């Protein structure tokens, strides 16, 4: 409506450093990562059409970077914030101003994209409101973040996880489940009003089932994409996903005499051994500050999963199923590789960060080689996509856990999702009116087929959003329309933010040439990731890995 301000520049200053945090009240951490000396980090709010200027100053003693999850960065990929893909991480003592227009209304989040920093706390919601008013009425709008919390630093836990003594790849078990980064958060509900609750999962690993005592939820948005209102009792949200739901407050005096709880249940069976504490954390909806709590209801029986919602939800702007020009099949698995560590793999190949960020390779390698996947380095799992063609990606899960996959630079149609068996081209049941989102859970022993138009030239990361699995190499790069990748009107690094190139150089990392910093396809000196050996059963060699930390 006309009350909303005209497009503006939104300036946010984040000095990223260590801070104290004790969100579960049982362990004071001095090495949490916060912003401007505080944690949790306040959400960032803007209107569609605004330009965000996120000035990040790194006062940690290790490099960092910030990604805006779900923001498509069309034309602004230099600020996508992925270390090793679109930039070298910001070194200690340096700053980078991430500058990009916010063209998409919806619920997003900002998080560290280097060294698992978001697991240590470097995460915040990013809410972009529609300038002309939301299509669905609500009286008020709240963010509810969901996260897991560890008492130890991510790097300490990572060293235990990626360790020869952990050949099964058992992930670190969180010490607490948080809602709005707390275990006793609350929101005020006024009788009869309708609220939009924006659930944002900032989880490192946990999947949460959400329900509210005696209140139903009407889903209206998934990952920044508007869907037709669909009422559910409960749903499952995976790491990095978002759901906006409408909830209408009770108005009868019998009902408003109570306060009610929003429950977030983390499935303990994902962990080995499963956590023994109560993995349900609640947020209280306050109708009156002295009201008794309405008796808590139990975990509902069939919470809606990605698999069901992909068929039950429909887009506000319906789309027909896209017909693919190219299909890329990625088999997901975990194996002990040649470095004796358990890694995530696509088609038996694990991701290893290149010496030159892949986007810089695309800008500098030259016309003759820019569309040749070899120049990006075999250990970046590169796929080259042609401009305006339709890409299909089959994520076929051969692992015994489910994995939430995210693609940077796109929302994608989910045209098939099946938890019952692995991919079989002769046995597919397509979803003809697909939804779109940017993060999808690939079920255990099942698969997902997704499709999108190659309309966003750039180098986009495709990875599991379980942060442990990303660090274990479950990632790939999409080199999209490389012949059209340019910055400041040219395919060279001259038009880049000069801080980006300076920050690579100051850390001894490459800014031009192929993945090894050479010309053409000469990969002399290229550091491959650890290799697949005999089904991982008998590792023989150890690969020394270098690159950005
Ligand atoms: C949260 O709600 C659940 C029931 O869903 C209950 O078991 C648990 O004790 C509650 N937690 C707290 C801290 O009240
Ligand atoms: Cu995973």
């Amino acid at each position: 409506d006309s009350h909303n301000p005209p497009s503006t520049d939104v300036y946010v200053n984040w000095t990223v450093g260590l801070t104290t945090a004790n969100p579960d009240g049982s362990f004071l951490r001095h090495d949490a990562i916060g912003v401007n000396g505080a944690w949790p980090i306040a959400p960032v709010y803007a209107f569609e059409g605004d330009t965000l200027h996120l000035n990040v100053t790194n006062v940690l003693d290790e490099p960092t970077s910030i990604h805006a999850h779900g923001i498509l960065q069309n034309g602004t990929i230099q600020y996508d914030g992925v270390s090793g893909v679109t930039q070298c991480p910001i070194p200690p003592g340096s700053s980078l101003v991430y500058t990009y227009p916010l063209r998409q209304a919806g619920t997003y989040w900002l998080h560290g994209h280097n060294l698992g920093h978001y697991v240590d706390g470097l995460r915040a919601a990013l809410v972009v409101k529609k300038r002309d008013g939301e299509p669905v009425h609500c009286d008020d709008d709240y963010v509810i973040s969901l996260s897991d919390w560890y008492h130890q630093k991510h790097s300490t836990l990572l060293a235990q996880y990626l360790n020869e003594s952990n050949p099964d790849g058992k992930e670190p078990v969180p010490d607490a489940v948080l809602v709005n980064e707390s275990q006793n958060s609350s929101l005020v509900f006024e009788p009869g009003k309708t609220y939009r609750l924006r659930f944002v999962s900032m989880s490192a690993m946990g999947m949460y089932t959400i329900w509210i005592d005696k209140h139903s939820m009407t889903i209206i948005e998934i990952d920044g994409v508007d869907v037709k209102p669909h009422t559910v009792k409960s749903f499952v949200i995976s790491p990095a996903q978002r759901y906006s739901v409408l909830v209408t407050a009770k108005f009868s005096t019998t009902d408003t005499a109570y306060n009610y709880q929003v429950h977030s249940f983390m499935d303990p069976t994902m962990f080995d051994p499963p956590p023994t504490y109560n993995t349900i954390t609640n947020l209280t909806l306050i109708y009156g500050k002295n009201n008794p709590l309405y008796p808590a209801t139990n975990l509902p029986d069939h919470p809606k999963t990605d698999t069901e919602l992909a068929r039950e939800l429909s887009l506000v702007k319906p789309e027909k199923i896209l017909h693919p020009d190219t299909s890329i099949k990625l088999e997901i698995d975990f194996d002990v590789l040649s470095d004796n560590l358990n890694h995530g793999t696509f088609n038996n190949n694990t991701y290893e960060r290149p010496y030159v960020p892949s986007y810089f390779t695309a800008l500098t390698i030259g016309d003759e080689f820019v569309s040749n996947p070899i120049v990006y380095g075999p250990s970046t799992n590169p796929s080259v996509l042609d401009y305006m063609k339709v890409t299909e990606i089959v994520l076929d899960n051969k692992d015994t856990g489910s994995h939430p996959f995210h693609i940077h630079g796109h929302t994608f149609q989910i045209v098939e999702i099946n938890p019952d068996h692995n991919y079989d081209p002769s046995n597919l049941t397509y979803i003809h009116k697909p939804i779109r989102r940017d993060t999808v859970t690939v079920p255990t022993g099942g698969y997902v087929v997704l499709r999108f138009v190659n309309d966003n030239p750039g180098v986009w990361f495709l990875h599991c959003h379980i942060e442990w699995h990303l660090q274990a190499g479950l990632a790939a790069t999409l080199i999209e329309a490389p012949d059209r990748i340019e910055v400041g009107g040219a395919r060279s690094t001259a038009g880049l933010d000069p801080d980006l190139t300076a920050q690579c150089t100051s850390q001894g990392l490459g800014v031009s040439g192929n993945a090894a910093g050479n010309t053409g396809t000469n990969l002399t000196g290229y550091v491959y990731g650890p290799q697949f050996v005999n089904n991982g059963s008998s590792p023989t060699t150890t690969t020394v890995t270098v690159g950005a930390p």
Side-chain angles (χ1 to χ4, degrees):
D1 54 46
S2 55
H3 305 295
N4 293 334
S7 301
T8 184
D9 291 289
V10 176
Y11 295 91
V12 177
N13 285 310
W14 275 16
T15 297
V16 173
L18 296 183
T19 184
T20 55
N22 188 5
D24 61 350
S26 65
F27 187 85
L28 176 65
R29 276 189 63 173
H30 293 274
D31 53 7
I33 302 181
V35 152
N36 307 332
W39 187 89
I41 306 170
V44 172
Y45 293 94
F47 283 101
E48 192 179 6
D50 289 349
T51 296
L52 181 63
H53 303 255
L54 176 64
N55 182 359
V56 177
T57 299
N58 181 9
V59 299
L60 297 167
D61 62 7
E62 54 192 20
T64 196
S65 72
I66 302 289
H67 167 62
H69 185 112
I71 299 298
L72 302 181
Q73 303 290 10
N74 194 316
T76 46
I77 185 177
Q78 64 174 318
Y79 296 119
D80 198 38
V82 191
S83 63
V85 181
T86 61
Q87 68 169 99
C88 300
I90 307 165
S94 295
S95 300
L96 183 68
V97 187
Y98 290 93
T99 309
Y100 40 86
L102 299 167
R103 303 191 188 97
Q104 309 152 250
T107 310
Y108 305 95
W109 61 298
L110 298 163
H111 68 83
H113 220 304
N114 193 48
L115 298 174
H117 281 170
Y118 92 74
V119 182
D120 287 322
L122 186 53
R123 55 201 188 202
L126 169 62
V127 174
V128 184
K129 297 201 176 182
K130 286 202 167 68
R131 189 166 297 281
D132 302 327
E134 300 294 334
V136 187
H137 167 79
C138 70
D139 296 293
D140 215 337
D141 187 317
Y142 292 126
V143 168
I144 301 181
S145 72
L146 310 162
S147 49
D148 33 28
W149 185 252
Y150 292 87
H151 290 163
Q152 283 173 287
K153 213 170 145 52
H154 172 84
S155 54
T156 306
L157 295 169
L158 186 66
Q160 294 164 10
Y161 169 60
L162 288 179
N163 195 293
E164 289 187 25
S165 67
N166 185 26
D168 298 333
K170 291 178 185 174
E171 297 87 356
V173 182
D175 294 296
V177 175
L178 305 180
V179 176
N180 273 343
E181 306 285 40
S182 162
Q183 291 195 317
N184 59 1
S185 53
S186 61
L187 296 171
V188 170
F189 257 39
E190 288 180 35
K193 285 195 169 175
T194 297
Y195 294 89
R196 178 179 188 153
L197 306 181
R198 297 174 185 262
F199 288 95
V200 186
S201 174
M202 307 180 175
S203 170
M205 167 111 189
M207 294 166 68
Y208 308 107
T209 301
I210 306 297
W211 74 102
I212 310 180
D213 296 329
K214 227 185 166 191
H215 293 65
S216 56
M217 300 178 279
T218 300
I219 299 173
I220 57 166
E221 179 217 335
I222 49 169
D223 299 355
V225 175
D226 292 329
V227 293
K228 289 184 184 150
H230 181 71
T231 301
V232 298
K233 287 205 181 92
S234 62
F235 62 89
V236 178
I237 181 169
S238 289
Q241 291 186 320
R242 289 88 65 214
Y243 283 90
S244 278
V245 304
L246 295 179
V247 178
T248 299
K250 301 287 175 197
F251 50 87
S252 86
T253 48
T254 340
D255 288 338
T256 61
Y258 290 98
N259 292 332
Y260 298 83
Q261 289 179 306
V262 178
H263 302 283
S264 173
F265 164 72
M266 181 179 76
D267 182 357
T269 65
M270 299 180 78
F271 299 98
D272 185 8
T276 50
Y277 58 85
N278 178 356
T279 58
I280 304 179
T281 295
N282 311 315
L283 169 148
T284 308
L285 301 176
I286 310 265
Y287 282 80
K289 72 176 184 326
N290 298 318
N291 288 2
L293 267 189
Y294 188 83
T297 51
N298 292 331
L299 179 69
D301 281 341
H302 298 287
K304 297 292 182 186
T305 63
D306 278 28
T307 302
E308 289 149 324
L309 290 174
R311 286 187 155 83
E312 289 178 17
L313 294 173
S314 45
L315 298 177
V316 165
K317 293 182 190 150
E319 293 179 15
K320 285 191 188 143
I321 187 169
L322 292 164
H323 291 286
D325 297 297
T326 310
S327 183
I328 298 168
K329 185 167 176 244
L330 298 173
E331 269 188 27
I332 301 157
D333 211 347
F334 278 79
D335 266 300
V336 173
L337 301 186
S338 57
D339 61 354
N340 297 341
L341 304 180
N342 187 301
H343 285 274
T345 58
F346 280 132
N347 303 337
N348 292 334
N349 203 29
T350 195
Y351 179 86
E352 180 76 21
R353 187 184 294 191
Y355 168 69
V356 177
S358 303
Y359 170 56
F360 293 9
T361 292
L363 288 172
T364 57
I365 195 70
D367 294 350
E368 189 186 340
F369 298 102
V370 72
S371 300
N372 184 344
I374 300 300
V375 302
Y376 300 93
S379 296
T380 63
N381 278 321
S383 293
V384 173
L385 314 180
D386 293 336
Y387 186 59
M388 292 315 282
K389 298 286 195 224
V390 174
T391 296
E392 170 181 276
I393 296 180
V394 177
L395 293 164
D396 195 19
N397 189 357
K398 301 283 169 109
D399 182 48
T400 52
S402 57
H403 299 274
F405 275 93
H406 171 46
I407 300 185
H408 291 228
H410 286 280
T411 58
F412 43 75
Q413 291 186 344
I414 299 172
V415 306
E416 209 342 6
I417 178 166
N418 192 328
D420 297 330
H421 55 81
N422 278 114
Y423 182 70
D424 171 3
S426 68
N427 183 10
L428 293 168
T429 315
Y430 287 119
I431 301 169
H432 290 279
K433 293 201 174 120
I435 56 162
R436 263 178 194 280
R437 63 187 315 167
D438 63 39
T439 306
V440 64
T441 310
V442 185
T444 306
Y447 64 95
V448 170
V449 182
L450 47 90
R451 294 178 184 168
F452 57 88
V453 178
N454 305 335
D455 57 3
N456 194 4
V459 180
W460 304 111
F461 213 25
L462 183 176
H463 64 94
C464 180
H465 223 293
I466 290 177
E467 185 63 20
W468 308 110
H469 297 173
L470 170 57
Q471 302 289 337
L474 192 49
T477 45
L478 302 176
I479 322 294
E480 181 167 344
D483 49 332
R484 290 177 182 254
I485 293 175
E486 51 178 45
V487 58
R491 190 136 45 76
S492 82
T493 48
L496 278 178
D497 182 333
D499 287 339
L500 286 168
T501 38
Q503 291 176 8
C504 290
T505 308
S506 74
Q507 295 175 91
L509 295 166
V511 292
S512 69
N514 64 31
N518 305 324
T519 55
T521 57
N522 170 13
L523 285 179
T524 307
Y526 179 68
V527 179
Y528 286 79
Q531 299 295 303
F532 186 77
V533 208
N534 294 340
N535 294 322
S537 55
S538 52
T540 49
T541 59
T542 299
T543 310
V544 179
T545 59
V546 295

